[in-house]
Coordinates of all heavy atoms in Angstrom, one line a residue:
M3 N 24.0 86.4 -46.0 CA 24.9 87.4 -46.5 C 25.8 86.7 -47.5 O 26.2 85.5 -47.4 CB 25.7 87.9 -45.4 CG 26.8 88.9 -45.8 SD 27.9 89.6 -44.6 CE 27.6 88.9 -43.1
R4 N 26.2 87.5 -48.5 CA 27.1 87.0 -49.5 C 28.4 87.7 -49.3 O 28.5 88.9 -49.2 CB 26.6 87.4 -50.9 CG 27.5 87.0 -52.0 CD 26.8 87.3 -53.3 NE 27.7 87.2 -54.4 CZ 27.7 87.9 -55.5 NH1 26.8 88.8 -55.7 NH2 28.6 87.8 -56.4
T5 N 29.5 87.0 -49.2 CA 30.9 87.5 -49.0 C 31.7 87.3 -50.2 O 31.8 86.1 -50.7 CB 31.5 86.9 -47.7 OG1 30.7 87.1 -46.6 CG2 32.9 87.5 -47.5
I6 N 32.3 88.3 -50.7 CA 33.1 88.2 -52.0 C 34.3 89.2 -52.0 O 34.1 90.2 -51.4 CB 32.2 88.3 -53.2 CG1 32.9 88.0 -54.5 CG2 31.6 89.8 -53.3 CD1 32.0 87.9 -55.7
H7 N 35.3 88.8 -52.6 CA 36.4 89.7 -52.8 C 36.1 90.7 -53.9 O 35.5 90.3 -54.9 CB 37.7 88.9 -53.1 CG 38.3 88.2 -52.0 ND1 39.0 88.7 -51.0 CD2 38.2 86.9 -51.8 CE1 39.3 87.8 -50.2 NE2 38.9 86.7 -50.6
L8 N 36.4 91.9 -53.8 CA 36.1 93.0 -54.7 C 36.7 92.5 -56.1 O 36.1 92.8 -57.2 CB 36.6 94.3 -54.3 CG 36.3 95.5 -55.2 CD1 34.8 95.6 -55.4 CD2 36.9 96.8 -54.6
S9 N 37.9 92.0 -56.1 CA 38.6 91.6 -57.4 C 37.7 90.6 -58.1 O 37.7 90.6 -59.4 CB 40.0 91.1 -57.1 OG 39.9 90.0 -56.3
E10 N 37.1 89.7 -57.5 CA 36.2 88.6 -58.1 C 35.0 89.3 -58.7 O 34.6 88.9 -59.8 CB 35.9 87.6 -57.1 CG 37.0 86.7 -56.6 CD 36.5 85.7 -55.5 OE1 35.3 85.5 -55.3 OE2 37.4 85.2 -54.9
E11 N 34.4 90.2 -58.0 CA 33.2 90.9 -58.4 C 33.6 91.7 -59.7 O 32.8 91.7 -60.7 CB 32.6 91.8 -57.4 CG 31.3 92.3 -57.7 CD 30.2 91.3 -57.7 OE1 30.3 90.2 -57.2 OE2 29.1 91.6 -58.4
L12 N 34.7 92.4 -59.7 CA 35.1 93.2 -60.8 C 35.4 92.3 -62.0 O 35.0 92.7 -63.2 CB 36.3 94.1 -60.5 CG 36.0 95.2 -59.5 CD1 37.3 95.9 -59.1 CD2 35.0 96.2 -60.0
E13 N 36.0 91.2 -61.8 CA 36.3 90.2 -62.9 C 35.0 89.7 -63.5 O 34.9 89.7 -64.8 CB 37.1 89.0 -62.3 CG 37.3 87.9 -63.3 CD 37.9 86.7 -62.7 OE1 38.4 86.8 -61.5 OE2 37.9 85.6 -63.3
Q14 N 34.0 89.5 -62.7 CA 32.7 89.1 -63.2 C 32.0 90.1 -64.0 O 31.4 89.9 -65.1 CB 31.9 88.6 -62.1 CG 30.5 88.0 -62.6 CD 29.9 87.2 -61.4 OE1 30.3 86.2 -61.0 NE2 28.7 87.8 -61.0
I15 N 32.1 91.4 -63.5 CA 31.5 92.5 -64.2 C 32.1 92.7 -65.6 O 31.5 92.9 -66.6 CB 31.5 93.7 -63.4 CG1 30.5 93.6 -62.2 CG2 31.2 95.0 -64.2 CD1 30.7 94.7 -61.1
E16 N 33.5 92.6 -65.6 CA 34.2 92.8 -66.9 C 33.9 91.7 -67.8 O 33.8 91.9 -69.1 CB 35.7 92.9 -66.6 CG 36.2 94.2 -66.0 CD 35.7 95.4 -66.7 OE1 35.9 95.5 -68.0 OE2 35.2 96.4 -66.1
F17 N 33.7 90.5 -67.3 CA 33.3 89.4 -68.2 C 31.9 89.6 -68.8 O 31.7 89.4 -70.0 CB 33.3 88.0 -67.3 CG 32.8 86.9 -68.1 CD1 33.6 86.2 -69.0 CD2 31.5 86.4 -67.8 CE1 33.1 85.1 -69.7 CE2 31.0 85.3 -68.5 CZ 31.8 84.6 -69.4
A18 N 31.0 90.1 -67.9 CA 29.7 90.4 -68.4 C 29.7 91.4 -69.5 O 28.9 91.4 -70.5 CB 28.8 90.8 -67.3
K19 N 30.6 92.5 -69.4 CA 30.7 93.5 -70.4 C 31.2 92.9 -71.7 O 30.8 93.3 -72.8 CB 31.6 94.6 -69.9 CG 31.0 95.5 -68.8 CD 32.0 96.5 -68.4 CE 31.5 97.4 -67.3 NZ 32.5 98.5 -66.9
R20 N 32.2 92.0 -71.6 CA 32.8 91.3 -72.8 C 31.7 90.5 -73.5 O 31.5 90.5 -74.8 CB 34.0 90.5 -72.5 CG 35.2 91.3 -72.1 CD 36.4 90.4 -72.1 NE 36.4 89.3 -71.2 CZ 36.7 89.4 -69.8 NH1 37.0 90.5 -69.3 NH2 36.7 88.3 -69.1
A21 N 30.9 89.8 -72.8 CA 29.8 89.0 -73.2 C 28.8 89.9 -74.0 O 28.3 89.6 -75.0 CB 29.2 88.1 -72.2
A22 N 28.4 91.0 -73.3 CA 27.4 91.9 -73.9 C 27.9 92.5 -75.2 O 27.1 92.5 -76.2 CB 27.2 93.1 -72.9
K23 N 29.2 92.8 -75.3 CA 29.8 93.3 -76.6 C 29.6 92.2 -77.6 O 29.3 92.5 -78.8 CB 31.2 93.7 -76.4 CG 31.9 94.3 -77.6 CD 33.3 94.8 -77.2 CE 33.9 95.5 -78.4 NZ 34.2 94.7 -79.5
C24 N 30.0 91.0 -77.3 CA 29.9 89.9 -78.2 C 28.5 89.7 -78.7 O 28.2 89.5 -79.9 CB 30.4 88.6 -77.6 SG 30.3 87.1 -78.6
F25 N 27.5 89.7 -77.7 CA 26.1 89.5 -78.1 C 25.6 90.7 -79.0 O 24.8 90.5 -79.9 CB 25.2 89.4 -76.8 CG 25.5 88.2 -76.0 CD1 25.3 88.2 -74.7 CD2 25.9 87.0 -76.6 CE1 25.5 87.1 -73.9 CE2 26.1 85.9 -75.9 CZ 25.9 85.9 -74.5
Q26 N 26.1 91.9 -78.7 CA 25.7 93.0 -79.5 C 26.2 92.9 -80.9 O 25.5 93.2 -81.9 CB 26.2 94.3 -78.9 CG 25.8 95.6 -79.6 CD 26.4 96.8 -78.9 OE1 26.8 96.7 -77.7 NE2 26.3 97.9 -79.5
E27 N 27.4 92.4 -81.1 CA 28.0 92.3 -82.4 C 27.5 91.0 -83.2 O 27.6 90.9 -84.4 CB 29.5 92.2 -82.3 CG 30.1 93.6 -81.8 CD 31.6 93.4 -81.5 OE1 32.1 92.3 -81.5 OE2 32.1 94.5 -81.2
N28 N 27.0 90.0 -82.5 CA 26.5 88.8 -83.0 C 25.1 88.4 -82.5 O 25.0 87.8 -81.5 CB 27.5 87.7 -82.7 CG 28.9 88.0 -83.1 OD1 29.3 87.9 -84.3 ND2 29.7 88.5 -82.2
A29 N 24.1 88.9 -83.2 CA 22.7 88.8 -82.8 C 22.3 87.4 -82.6 O 21.4 87.1 -81.8 CB 21.8 89.5 -83.8
K30 N 22.9 86.4 -83.3 CA 22.4 85.0 -83.1 C 23.2 84.3 -82.0 O 22.7 83.2 -81.6 CB 22.7 84.3 -84.4 CG 21.8 84.7 -85.6 CD 22.1 83.9 -86.8 CE 21.1 84.4 -87.9 NZ 21.2 83.6 -89.1
F31 N 24.2 84.9 -81.4 CA 24.9 84.2 -80.3 C 24.0 84.2 -79.0 O 23.4 85.2 -78.7 CB 26.2 84.9 -80.0 CG 27.3 84.6 -81.0 CD1 27.1 84.0 -82.3 CD2 28.6 85.0 -80.6 CE1 28.1 83.8 -83.1 CE2 29.7 84.7 -81.5 CZ 29.4 84.1 -82.8
R32 N 23.9 83.1 -78.3 CA 23.1 82.9 -77.1 C 24.0 82.7 -75.9 O 23.5 82.7 -74.8 CB 22.2 81.8 -77.3 CG 21.3 81.8 -78.5 CD 20.4 83.0 -78.7 NE 19.4 83.1 -77.6 CZ 18.7 84.2 -77.4 NH1 18.9 85.3 -78.1 NH2 17.8 84.2 -76.4
S33 N 25.3 82.3 -76.1 CA 26.2 82.0 -75.0 C 27.6 82.5 -75.3 O 27.9 82.7 -76.4 CB 26.2 80.5 -74.7 OG 26.8 79.8 -75.8
Y34 N 28.4 82.7 -74.2 CA 29.7 83.3 -74.4 C 30.6 82.7 -73.3 O 30.2 82.6 -72.1 CB 29.6 84.8 -74.3 CG 31.0 85.5 -74.2 CD1 31.7 85.7 -75.4 CD2 31.6 85.8 -73.0 CE1 32.9 86.3 -75.4 CE2 32.8 86.4 -73.0 CZ 33.5 86.7 -74.2 OH 34.7 87.3 -74.1
T35 N 31.8 82.4 -73.7 CA 32.9 82.1 -72.7 C 34.2 82.8 -73.2 O 34.3 83.1 -74.4 CB 33.2 80.6 -72.6 OG1 33.6 80.1 -73.8 CG2 32.0 79.8 -72.1
D36 N 35.1 83.0 -72.4 CA 36.4 83.6 -72.8 C 37.3 82.6 -73.6 O 38.0 83.1 -74.5 CB 37.2 84.2 -71.6 CG 36.7 85.6 -71.2 OD1 36.2 86.3 -72.1 OD2 36.9 85.9 -70.0
G37 N 37.2 81.4 -73.2 CA 38.2 80.5 -73.8 C 37.7 79.3 -74.5 O 38.4 78.3 -74.7
G38 N 36.5 79.4 -75.1 CA 36.0 78.3 -75.9 C 35.2 77.3 -75.0 O 34.0 77.6 -74.7
E39 N 35.9 76.2 -74.6 CA 35.2 75.2 -73.7 C 35.1 75.7 -72.4 O 35.9 76.4 -71.8 CB 35.9 73.9 -73.8 CG 35.9 73.3 -75.2 CD 36.4 71.8 -75.1 OE1 36.3 71.2 -74.1 OE2 36.9 71.4 -76.2
I40 N 34.0 75.3 -71.7 CA 33.7 75.7 -70.3 C 34.5 74.8 -69.4 O 34.5 73.5 -69.5 CB 32.2 75.5 -70.0 CG1 31.5 76.4 -70.9 CG2 32.0 76.0 -68.6 CD1 30.0 76.1 -70.9
Q41 N 35.3 75.3 -68.5 CA 36.1 74.5 -67.6 C 35.5 74.7 -66.1 O 34.9 75.7 -65.8 CB 37.5 75.1 -67.6 CG 38.2 74.9 -68.9 CD 38.4 73.6 -69.4 OE1 38.6 72.6 -68.6 NE2 38.3 73.4 -70.7
P42 N 35.7 73.7 -65.2 CA 35.3 73.9 -63.8 C 35.8 75.2 -63.3 O 37.0 75.5 -63.5 CB 35.8 72.7 -63.1 CG 35.9 71.6 -64.2 CD 36.3 72.4 -65.5
G43 N 35.0 76.0 -62.7 CA 35.4 77.3 -62.1 C 35.4 78.4 -63.2 O 35.7 79.6 -62.8
G44 N 35.1 78.1 -64.4 CA 35.1 79.1 -65.5 C 33.7 79.8 -65.6 O 32.7 79.2 -65.1
L45 N 33.7 80.9 -66.1 CA 32.5 81.7 -66.3 C 31.8 81.4 -67.6 O 32.5 81.2 -68.6 CB 32.8 83.2 -66.2 CG 33.3 83.7 -64.8 CD1 33.8 85.2 -65.0 CD2 32.2 83.6 -63.7
L46 N 30.5 81.4 -67.6 CA 29.6 81.2 -68.7 C 28.6 82.3 -68.7 O 27.9 82.6 -67.7 CB 29.0 79.9 -68.7 CG 27.8 79.6 -69.6 CD1 28.3 79.6 -71.1 CD2 27.1 78.3 -69.3
A47 N 28.4 83.0 -69.9 CA 27.4 84.0 -70.0 C 26.3 83.5 -70.9 O 26.6 83.0 -71.9 CB 28.0 85.3 -70.5
L48 N 25.0 83.8 -70.6 CA 23.9 83.5 -71.4 C 23.2 84.8 -71.8 O 22.9 85.6 -70.9 CB 22.9 82.5 -70.8 CG 23.6 81.2 -70.3 CD1 22.5 80.3 -69.6 CD2 24.1 80.4 -71.6
R49 N 22.7 84.9 -73.0 CA 21.9 86.1 -73.4 C 20.5 85.7 -72.7 O 20.0 84.7 -72.7 CB 21.7 86.1 -74.9 CG 20.9 87.4 -75.3 CD 20.6 87.3 -76.7 NE 21.8 87.5 -77.6 CZ 22.1 88.6 -78.2 NH1 21.3 89.7 -78.0 NH2 23.2 88.7 -78.9
W50 N 19.9 86.8 -72.0 CA 18.8 86.5 -71.2 C 17.8 87.7 -71.3 O 18.2 88.8 -71.7 CB 19.3 86.4 -69.7 CG 18.4 85.7 -68.8 CD1 17.5 86.2 -67.9 CD2 18.3 84.3 -68.7 NE1 16.9 85.2 -67.2 CE2 17.3 84.0 -67.6 CE3 18.8 83.2 -69.4 CZ2 17.0 82.7 -67.3 CZ3 18.5 81.9 -69.0 CH2 17.5 81.7 -68.0
G51 N 16.6 87.5 -70.8 CA 15.6 88.5 -70.7 C 14.7 88.6 -71.9 O 14.9 88.1 -72.9
L52 N 13.5 89.2 -71.6 CA 12.5 89.3 -72.7 C 12.9 90.1 -73.9 O 12.5 89.8 -75.0 CB 11.3 90.0 -72.1 CG 10.5 89.2 -71.0 CD1 9.4 90.0 -70.4 CD2 10.0 87.9 -71.6
G53 N 13.9 91.1 -73.7 CA 14.4 91.8 -74.8 C 15.7 91.3 -75.3 O 16.4 92.0 -76.1
D54 N 16.1 90.2 -74.8 CA 17.5 89.6 -75.2 C 18.6 90.7 -74.9 O 19.6 90.7 -75.6 CB 17.6 89.2 -76.7 CG 17.0 87.8 -76.9 OD1 16.8 87.1 -75.9 OD2 16.7 87.5 -78.1
D55 N 18.4 91.5 -73.9 CA 19.4 92.5 -73.6 C 20.0 92.3 -72.2 O 20.8 93.2 -71.7 CB 18.7 93.9 -73.6 CG 17.6 94.1 -72.7 OD1 17.2 93.1 -72.1 OD2 17.1 95.2 -72.5
C56 N 19.8 91.2 -71.6 CA 20.5 90.9 -70.3 C 21.5 89.9 -70.5 O 21.5 89.1 -71.4 CB 19.4 90.4 -69.3 SG 18.1 91.6 -69.0
V57 N 22.5 89.9 -69.6 CA 23.5 88.9 -69.6 C 23.5 88.1 -68.2 O 23.7 88.8 -67.2 CB 24.9 89.5 -69.7 CG1 26.0 88.5 -69.6 CG2 25.0 90.3 -71.1
L58 N 23.2 86.8 -68.3 CA 23.2 86.0 -67.1 C 24.6 85.3 -66.9 O 25.0 84.6 -67.9 CB 22.1 84.9 -67.2 CG 22.0 84.0 -66.0 CD1 21.7 84.6 -64.7 CD2 21.0 82.9 -66.3
V59 N 25.3 85.6 -65.9 CA 26.6 85.0 -65.6 C 26.5 83.9 -64.7 O 26.0 84.0 -63.6 CB 27.6 86.1 -65.1 CG1 28.9 85.5 -64.9 CG2 27.7 87.2 -66.2
L60 N 27.0 82.7 -65.1 CA 27.1 81.5 -64.3 C 28.5 81.1 -64.2 O 29.4 81.5 -65.0 CB 26.3 80.4 -65.0 CG 24.9 80.7 -65.4 CD1 24.4 79.8 -66.4 CD2 24.0 80.7 -64.2
K61 N 28.8 80.4 -63.1 CA 30.1 79.8 -62.9 C 30.0 78.4 -62.5 O 29.2 78.1 -61.6 CB 30.9 80.6 -61.8 CG 32.3 80.3 -61.6 CD 32.9 81.2 -60.6 CE 34.5 80.9 -60.5 NZ 35.1 81.9 -59.6
L62 N 30.8 77.5 -63.1 CA 30.7 76.1 -62.7 C 31.4 75.9 -61.3 O 32.6 75.4 -61.2 CB 31.4 75.2 -63.7 CG 30.7 75.2 -65.1 CD1 31.4 74.3 -66.1 CD2 29.2 74.8 -64.9
D63 N 30.7 76.3 -60.3 CA 31.2 76.2 -58.9 C 30.0 76.2 -58.0 O 29.1 77.0 -58.1 CB 32.0 77.5 -58.6 CG 32.6 77.5 -57.3 OD1 32.0 77.0 -56.3 OD2 33.7 78.1 -57.1
E64 N 29.9 75.3 -57.1 CA 28.6 75.1 -56.3 C 28.4 76.2 -55.4 O 27.3 76.4 -55.0 CB 28.7 73.8 -55.5 CG 29.9 73.7 -54.5 CD 29.9 72.4 -53.8 OE1 29.9 71.4 -54.5 OE2 30.1 72.4 -52.6
A65 N 29.4 77.1 -55.1 CA 29.2 78.2 -54.2 C 28.8 79.5 -55.0 O 28.4 80.5 -54.3 CB 30.5 78.5 -53.4
H66 N 28.9 79.5 -56.3 CA 28.6 80.7 -57.1 C 27.1 80.9 -57.2 O 26.3 80.0 -57.4 CB 29.1 80.6 -58.5 CG 29.0 81.8 -59.3 ND1 27.9 81.9 -60.2 CD2 29.6 82.9 -59.4 CE1 28.0 83.1 -60.8 NE2 29.0 83.7 -60.3
V67 N 26.7 82.2 -57.0 CA 25.3 82.6 -57.1 C 25.2 83.3 -58.5 O 25.9 84.3 -58.8 CB 24.9 83.6 -56.0 CG1 23.5 84.1 -56.2 CG2 25.1 83.0 -54.6
P68 N 24.4 82.8 -59.4 CA 24.2 83.4 -60.7 C 23.7 84.9 -60.6 O 23.0 85.2 -59.7 CB 23.1 82.6 -61.4 CG 23.1 81.3 -60.7 CD 23.5 81.6 -59.3
V69 N 24.2 85.7 -61.5 CA 23.9 87.1 -61.5 C 23.4 87.5 -62.9 O 24.0 87.1 -63.9 CB 25.2 88.0 -61.3 CG1 24.8 89.5 -61.3 CG2 25.8 87.7 -59.8
N70 N 22.2 88.2 -63.0 CA 21.6 88.7 -64.1 C 21.9 90.2 -64.2 O 21.4 91.0 -63.5 CB 20.1 88.4 -64.2 CG 19.5 88.8 -65.5 OD1 20.1 88.9 -66.5 ND2 18.2 89.1 -65.4
Y71 N 22.7 90.6 -65.2 CA 23.0 92.0 -65.5 C 22.0 92.5 -66.4 O 22.1 92.2 -67.6 CB 24.5 92.2 -66.0 CG 25.5 91.8 -65.0 CD1 26.0 90.5 -64.9 CD2 25.9 92.7 -64.0 CE1 27.0 90.1 -64.0 CE2 26.9 92.4 -63.1 CZ 27.4 91.1 -63.1 OH 28.3 90.7 -62.1
Q72 N 21.1 93.3 -66.0 CA 19.9 93.8 -66.8 C 20.3 94.9 -67.8 O 21.0 95.8 -67.5 CB 18.8 94.2 -65.9 CG 18.2 93.1 -65.0 CD 17.1 93.6 -64.1 OE1 16.9 94.8 -64.0 NE2 16.4 92.6 -63.6
Q73 N 19.7 94.7 -69.0 CA 19.8 95.7 -70.0 C 21.3 96.1 -70.3 O 21.6 97.2 -70.6 CB 19.0 96.9 -69.7 CG 17.5 96.6 -69.6 CD 16.6 97.8 -69.2 OE1 17.1 98.7 -68.6 NE2 15.4 97.7 -69.6
L74 N 22.2 95.1 -70.3 CA 23.5 95.3 -70.6 C 23.8 95.3 -72.1 O 24.8 96.0 -72.6 CB 24.4 94.3 -69.8 CG 25.9 94.5 -69.8 CD1 26.2 95.9 -69.1 CD2 26.6 93.4 -69.0
V75 N 23.1 94.5 -72.9 CA 23.3 94.4 -74.3 C 22.5 95.6 -75.0 O 21.3 95.6 -74.8 CB 22.8 93.0 -74.8 CG1 23.0 92.9 -76.3 CG2 23.5 91.9 -74.1
K76 N 23.3 96.4 -75.7 CA 22.6 97.5 -76.4 C 22.0 96.9 -77.7 O 22.7 96.3 -78.5 CB 23.6 98.5 -76.7 CG 24.1 99.3 -75.5 CD 25.1 100.3 -75.9 CE 25.6 101.1 -74.7 NZ 26.1 100.4 -73.6
V77 N 20.7 97.0 -77.8 CA 19.9 96.5 -79.0 C 19.8 97.5 -80.0 O 19.4 98.6 -79.8 CB 18.6 96.0 -78.5 CG1 17.8 95.4 -79.7 CG2 18.7 95.0 -77.4
A78 N 20.2 97.1 -81.3 CA 20.1 98.1 -82.4 C 18.6 98.4 -82.6 O 17.7 97.5 -82.7 CB 20.7 97.5 -83.6
T79 N 18.2 99.6 -82.9 CA 16.8 100.0 -83.1 C 16.7 100.5 -84.5 O 17.6 101.0 -85.2 CB 16.3 101.0 -82.1 OG1 17.2 102.2 -82.2 CG2 16.2 100.5 -80.8

């Protein structure tokens, strides 16, 4: 079982949305952070998936379970 505070989950979802917006606006970007350099405990997003439309969220924390938000990046057609 995974136990998490709702506020932490919402923070991660909002981070994933910011990363998706950044990836949508910058097709060459493959990674995203809020503050530039990655800090222990900070979130890191990677563009992911066969269609480059997913956002994989990682956290530099041994207890964090990576989450892949599928089809979050809107791809221009």
Side-chain angles (χ1 to χ4, degrees):
M3 175 180 11
R4 178 176 166 214
T5 304
I6 188 166
H7 291 281
L8 184 58
S9 62
E10 290 175 15
E11 190 70 19
L12 292 174
E13 175 187 344
Q14 184 167 292
I15 290 169
E16 289 304 314
F17 174 79
K19 288 179 182 179
R20 290 192 300 275
K23 183 177 187 293
C24 177
F25 294 151
Q26 182 177 345
E27 294 171 352
N28 303 281
K30 293 185 179 185
F31 284 15
R32 309 299 297 167
S33 63
Y34 172 84
T35 63
D36 276 335
E39 290 190 30
I40 304 166
Q41 301 295 326
L45 295 171
L46 167 67
L48 302 176
R49 185 186 291 259
W50 204 258
L52 293 175
D54 278 343
D55 60 349
C56 302
V57 176
L58 177 63
V59 176
L60 308 162
K61 186 174 185 177
L62 295 180
D63 181 330
E64 64 185 43
H66 184 262
V67 177
V69 177
N70 184 25
Y71 294 93
Q72 297 181 345
Q73 299 177 335
L74 192 59
V75 180
K76 292 178 179 53
V77 180
T79 55

